[in-house]
Amino acid sequence: MQVLLIEDEKKLASLIVRALEDQGWKVDVAEDGFIGKSLALVNKYDVLVVDVILPKVNGIQICQELRSKQIKTPILILSALGSLDDKLLGFDHGADDYLVKPFEIKELLARLKALHKRSEVKKSGEKLQVENLVMDLEKKMVTRDGQIIILTAKEFNLLEYFVRNHGRVISRKEISEEVWGTSIDSGTNVIDVYMNFLRKKIDKNFHPKLFHTVVGMGYILQENYENQK
Ligand code: CA
Protein backbone atom coordinates (compact mmCIF):
# COMPACT_ATOMS: atom_id res chain seq x y z
CA MET A 1 0.00 0.00 0.00
CA GLN A 2 1.28 3.42 -0.97
CA VAL A 3 0.49 6.27 1.42
CA LEU A 4 1.03 10.01 1.20
CA LEU A 5 1.28 11.78 4.55
CA ILE A 6 0.90 15.55 4.52
CA GLU A 7 1.90 16.71 8.00
CA ASP A 8 4.08 19.59 9.11
CA GLU A 9 4.77 18.38 12.65
CA LYS A 10 8.03 16.56 12.08
CA LYS A 11 7.92 14.47 15.25
CA LEU A 12 4.41 13.23 14.62
CA ALA A 13 5.18 12.64 10.94
CA SER A 14 8.17 10.44 11.70
CA LEU A 15 6.17 8.49 14.27
CA ILE A 16 3.44 7.80 11.72
CA VAL A 17 5.94 6.92 9.01
CA ARG A 18 7.60 4.39 11.25
CA ALA A 19 4.28 2.75 12.14
CA LEU A 20 3.15 2.58 8.51
CA GLU A 21 6.48 1.25 7.31
CA ASP A 22 6.26 -1.44 9.97
CA GLN A 23 3.14 -2.59 8.15
CA GLY A 24 5.19 -2.88 4.98
CA TRP A 25 3.55 0.21 3.46
CA LYS A 26 5.43 2.77 1.43
CA VAL A 27 5.11 6.33 2.67
CA ASP A 28 5.85 9.69 1.06
CA VAL A 29 5.84 12.68 3.38
CA ALA A 30 5.13 16.29 2.49
CA GLU A 31 5.73 18.99 5.08
CA ASP A 32 3.57 21.63 3.47
CA GLY A 33 0.24 21.67 1.73
CA PHE A 34 1.51 22.80 -1.62
CA ILE A 35 4.05 20.00 -2.00
CA GLY A 36 1.52 17.52 -0.63
CA LYS A 37 -1.15 18.54 -3.08
CA SER A 38 1.32 18.41 -5.98
CA LEU A 39 2.44 14.89 -5.03
CA ALA A 40 -1.17 13.74 -4.74
CA LEU A 41 -1.92 15.13 -8.19
CA VAL A 42 1.02 13.47 -9.87
CA ASN A 43 1.45 10.13 -8.11
CA LYS A 44 -0.94 7.34 -7.46
CA TYR A 45 -1.55 6.62 -3.78
CA ASP A 46 -3.87 4.18 -2.08
CA VAL A 47 -4.62 6.52 0.81
CA LEU A 48 -3.82 10.13 1.74
CA VAL A 49 -3.36 11.19 5.37
CA VAL A 50 -3.78 14.94 5.58
CA ASP A 51 -3.35 17.37 8.45
CA VAL A 52 -5.63 20.43 8.39
CA ILE A 53 -3.44 23.27 9.58
CA LEU A 54 -0.56 23.26 7.15
CA PRO A 55 1.76 25.85 5.63
CA LYS A 56 0.80 27.19 2.18
CA VAL A 57 -2.33 25.15 1.42
CA ASN A 58 -4.52 23.79 4.22
CA GLY A 59 -5.86 20.26 4.39
CA ILE A 60 -9.44 21.23 3.54
CA GLN A 61 -8.29 23.06 0.41
CA ILE A 62 -6.25 20.01 -0.57
CA CYS A 63 -9.33 17.76 -0.33
CA GLN A 64 -11.40 20.23 -2.29
CA GLU A 65 -8.86 20.63 -5.08
CA LEU A 66 -8.16 16.92 -5.47
CA ARG A 67 -11.87 16.12 -5.64
CA SER A 68 -12.47 18.90 -8.17
CA LYS A 69 -9.81 17.26 -10.33
CA GLN A 70 -11.56 13.90 -10.10
CA ILE A 71 -8.86 12.38 -7.90
CA LYS A 72 -10.77 9.94 -5.76
CA THR A 73 -8.00 8.58 -3.55
CA PRO A 74 -9.42 8.05 -0.05
CA ILE A 75 -8.45 10.85 2.33
CA LEU A 76 -8.16 10.59 6.09
CA ILE A 77 -7.94 13.94 7.82
CA LEU A 78 -5.83 14.22 10.93
CA SER A 79 -6.59 17.26 12.97
CA ALA A 80 -6.38 18.89 16.35
CA LEU A 81 -9.69 20.56 15.43
CA GLY A 82 -12.21 18.11 16.82
CA SER A 83 -15.60 19.83 16.84
CA LEU A 84 -18.49 18.42 14.87
CA ASP A 85 -18.38 21.47 12.58
CA ASP A 86 -14.70 20.87 11.85
CA LYS A 87 -15.42 17.27 10.94
CA LEU A 88 -18.39 18.18 8.77
CA LEU A 89 -16.27 20.75 6.96
CA GLY A 90 -13.78 18.01 6.14
CA PHE A 91 -16.43 15.58 4.94
CA ASP A 92 -18.14 18.31 2.91
CA HIS A 93 -14.90 18.88 1.04
CA GLY A 94 -14.31 15.29 0.12
CA ALA A 95 -12.59 13.68 3.12
CA ASP A 96 -13.52 10.05 3.77
CA ASP A 97 -12.52 9.83 7.41
CA TYR A 98 -11.48 12.13 10.22
CA LEU A 99 -9.25 11.40 13.18
CA VAL A 100 -8.77 13.90 15.99
CA LYS A 101 -5.32 14.49 17.50
CA PRO A 102 -4.04 13.16 19.79
CA PHE A 103 -4.81 9.63 18.63
CA GLU A 104 -3.50 6.12 19.06
CA ILE A 105 -1.37 4.93 16.15
CA LYS A 106 -3.27 1.63 16.30
CA GLU A 107 -6.50 3.45 15.54
CA LEU A 108 -4.92 5.28 12.61
CA LEU A 109 -3.71 1.97 11.15
CA ALA A 110 -7.12 0.33 11.57
CA ARG A 111 -8.88 3.24 9.89
CA LEU A 112 -6.42 3.33 6.99
CA LYS A 113 -6.89 -0.38 6.39
CA ALA A 114 -10.67 0.04 6.42
CA LEU A 115 -10.49 2.98 4.02
CA HIS A 116 -8.28 1.08 1.66
CA LYS A 117 -10.61 -1.91 1.68
CA ARG A 118 -13.60 0.28 0.91
CA SER A 119 -11.83 1.96 -1.99
CA GLU A 120 -10.75 -1.37 -3.47
CA VAL A 121 -14.41 -2.29 -3.72
CA LYS A 122 -15.36 1.06 -5.19
CA LYS A 123 -12.59 0.78 -7.74
CA SER A 124 -14.41 -1.93 -9.63
CA GLY A 125 -16.51 0.81 -11.21
CA GLU A 126 -13.69 3.27 -11.58
CA LYS A 127 -13.37 5.62 -14.50
CA LEU A 128 -10.38 7.75 -15.38
CA GLN A 129 -10.74 10.90 -17.39
CA VAL A 130 -8.52 13.48 -19.06
CA GLU A 131 -10.37 16.08 -21.12
CA ASN A 132 -12.81 14.14 -23.33
CA LEU A 133 -10.85 10.89 -23.00
CA VAL A 134 -12.59 8.46 -20.64
CA MET A 135 -11.28 5.07 -19.55
CA ASP A 136 -13.76 2.70 -17.97
CA LEU A 137 -11.49 0.36 -16.06
CA GLU A 138 -14.21 -2.18 -15.32
CA LYS A 139 -15.51 -2.50 -18.86
CA LYS A 140 -12.00 -1.99 -20.30
CA MET A 141 -13.52 0.59 -22.60
CA VAL A 142 -12.05 3.82 -23.91
CA THR A 143 -13.97 6.70 -25.45
CA ARG A 144 -13.09 10.12 -26.77
CA ASP A 145 -15.87 12.60 -27.17
CA GLY A 146 -18.24 9.69 -26.56
CA GLN A 147 -16.84 7.61 -29.45
CA ILE A 148 -15.53 4.17 -28.61
CA ILE A 149 -11.86 3.52 -29.38
CA ILE A 150 -10.79 -0.10 -29.70
CA LEU A 151 -7.47 -0.85 -28.01
CA THR A 152 -5.50 -4.04 -27.51
CA ALA A 153 -4.88 -5.12 -23.90
CA LYS A 154 -1.32 -3.78 -24.03
CA GLU A 155 -2.41 -0.45 -25.48
CA PHE A 156 -5.05 -0.19 -22.76
CA ASN A 157 -2.45 -0.75 -20.03
CA LEU A 158 -0.12 1.73 -21.66
CA LEU A 159 -2.85 4.36 -21.88
CA GLU A 160 -3.93 3.73 -18.30
CA TYR A 161 -0.38 4.35 -17.12
CA PHE A 162 -0.25 7.65 -18.99
CA VAL A 163 -3.66 8.75 -17.75
CA ARG A 164 -2.78 7.94 -14.15
CA ASN A 165 0.43 9.92 -14.57
CA HIS A 166 -0.98 12.63 -16.78
CA GLY A 167 0.99 15.87 -16.91
CA ARG A 168 4.27 14.06 -16.22
CA VAL A 169 6.97 13.15 -18.74
CA ILE A 170 7.37 9.37 -18.92
CA SER A 171 10.61 7.91 -20.24
CA ARG A 172 10.85 4.81 -22.40
CA LYS A 173 12.69 3.12 -19.53
CA GLU A 174 9.83 3.82 -17.13
CA ILE A 175 7.29 2.57 -19.67
CA SER A 176 9.15 -0.67 -20.15
CA GLU A 177 9.51 -1.24 -16.42
CA GLU A 178 6.02 -0.18 -15.39
CA VAL A 179 3.90 -1.36 -18.32
CA TRP A 180 5.88 -4.32 -19.60
CA GLY A 181 7.23 -5.17 -16.15
CA THR A 182 10.70 -5.65 -17.54
CA SER A 183 13.54 -3.67 -19.01
CA ILE A 184 13.15 -4.04 -22.73
CA ASP A 185 16.43 -4.08 -24.58
CA SER A 186 17.05 -0.45 -25.46
CA GLY A 187 18.24 -1.57 -28.89
CA THR A 188 14.66 -2.40 -29.87
CA ASN A 189 11.99 0.14 -30.65
CA VAL A 190 9.05 -1.84 -29.28
CA ILE A 191 7.88 1.04 -27.14
CA ASP A 192 7.99 3.59 -29.94
CA VAL A 193 6.02 1.22 -32.14
CA TYR A 194 3.35 0.80 -29.46
CA MET A 195 3.32 4.51 -28.74
CA ASN A 196 2.71 5.23 -32.42
CA PHE A 197 -0.23 2.81 -32.53
CA LEU A 198 -1.71 4.26 -29.39
CA ARG A 199 -1.24 7.90 -30.38
CA LYS A 200 -2.91 7.31 -33.72
CA LYS A 201 -5.93 5.74 -32.08
CA ILE A 202 -6.23 8.31 -29.32
CA ASP A 203 -5.29 11.54 -31.06
CA LYS A 204 -5.53 11.26 -34.83
CA ASN A 205 -9.23 12.00 -35.19
CA PHE A 206 -9.76 13.96 -31.99
CA HIS A 207 -9.03 17.28 -30.32
CA PRO A 208 -7.25 18.39 -28.26
CA LYS A 209 -4.08 16.39 -28.92
CA LEU A 210 -3.21 14.65 -25.66
CA PHE A 211 0.03 12.80 -26.42
CA HIS A 212 3.22 14.74 -27.00
CA THR A 213 6.82 13.73 -27.60
CA VAL A 214 9.39 15.36 -25.36
CA VAL A 215 12.58 15.10 -27.34
CA GLY A 216 15.31 13.15 -25.58
CA MET A 217 13.04 12.48 -22.56
CA GLY A 218 10.01 10.44 -23.52
CA TYR A 219 6.31 11.15 -23.83
CA ILE A 220 3.72 13.14 -21.95
CA LEU A 221 -0.06 12.95 -21.90
CA GLN A 222 -1.41 16.42 -21.28
CA GLU A 223 -4.11 18.74 -22.55
CA ASN A 224 -2.99 22.23 -23.64
CA TYR A 225 0.62 21.08 -23.66
CA GLU A 226 1.70 23.48 -26.43
CA ASN A 227 0.38 26.48 -24.48
CA GLN A 228 2.16 25.52 -21.30
CA LYS A 229 5.63 25.03 -22.68
CA1 CA B 1 -0.22 21.19 11.37
Side-chain angles (χ1 to χ4, degrees):
M1 178 143 110
Q2 192 98 30
V3 182
L4 172 64
L5 170 65
I6 311 177
E7 169 62 77
D8 61 327
E9 285 169 53
K10 287 197 173 120
K11 248 186 166 170
L12 179 61
S14 66
L15 197 82
I16 295 172
V17 168
R18 221 175 309 141
L20 299 188
E21 285 179 347
D22 279 350
Q23 301 287 315
W25 301 347
K26 283 190 180 168
V27 191
D28 287 344
V29 183
E31 288 180 8
D32 75 54
F34 183 77
I35 293 174
K37 184 191 75 179
S38 310
L39 286 173
L41 285 171
V42 169
N43 299 322
K44 191 188 160 241
Y45 295 100
D46 296 302
V47 182
L48 310 178
V49 180
V50 182
D51 182 24
V52 172
I53 302 169
L54 287 165
K56 296 183 186 166
V57 181
N58 75 45
I60 301 295
Q61 291 170 315
I62 294 174
C63 292
Q64 192 175 18
E65 192 166 337
L66 294 179
R67 296 306 184 231
S68 76
K69 293 194 167 149
Q70 301 304 315
I71 292 181
K72 296 183 177 129
T73 316
I75 299 175
L76 180 142
I77 287 193
L78 273 187
S79 178
L81 310 171
S83 77
L84 180 60
D85 282 346
D86 291 319
K87 292 180 187 173
L88 291 178
L89 187 70
F91 289 126
D92 277 350
H93 289 86
D96 300 278
D97 200 359
Y98 198 107
L99 188 56
V100 179
K101 294 177 185 176
F103 56 88
E104 296 276 343
I105 284 285
K106 265 197 251 170
E107 183 170 4
L108 175 65
L109 292 177
R111 285 176 182 237
L112 290 179
K113 282 178 193 165
L115 264 186
H116 185 228
K117 219 185 255 171
R118 259 191 272 159
S119 79
E120 287 286 281
V121 176
K122 249 196 281 172
K123 249 186 214 157
S124 56
E126 193 183 358
K127 284 187 183 162
L128 301 174
Q129 181 163 10
V130 176
E131 259 284 339
N132 54 13
L133 168 74
V134 180
M135 295 189 83
D136 185 323
L137 300 182
E138 190 177 24
K139 294 181 181 151
K140 298 282 177 202
M141 198 172 79
V142 176
T143 58
R144 271 205 80 172
D145 237 352
Q147 293 186 47
I148 294 174
I149 299 172
I150 307 290
L151 298 183
T152 65
K154 203 78 208 171
E155 289 166 350
F156 190 93
N157 293 345
L158 187 55
L159 180 63
E160 182 181 346
Y161 191 74
F162 271 93
V163 169
R164 288 193 184 278
N165 292 281
H166 104 268
R168 184 164 76 77
V169 178
I170 316 243
S171 68
R172 287 172 184 76
K173 182 170 180 286
E174 182 175 342
I175 294 171
S176 84
E177 287 172 1
E178 297 293 332
V179 181
W180 268 262
T182 163
S183 287
I184 291 174
D185 177 9
S186 53
T188 70
N189 62 349
V190 173
I191 288 174
D192 295 307
V193 170
Y194 266 94
M195 286 302 300
N196 281 335
F197 286 147
L198 184 60
R199 289 178 75 164
K200 254 186 217 153
K201 289 184 180 179
I202 297 301
D203 273 343
K204 193 169 173 233
N205 299 318
F206 301 97
H207 290 279
K209 298 294 171 219
L210 294 176
F211 275 110
H212 307 275
T213 304
V214 184
V215 178
M217 308 263 286
Y219 301 97
I220 187 168
L221 182 120
Q222 191 178 343
E223 62 275 46
N224 306 321
Y225 178 72
E226 296 302 323
N227 304 338
Q228 289 178 21
K229 264 202 292 197

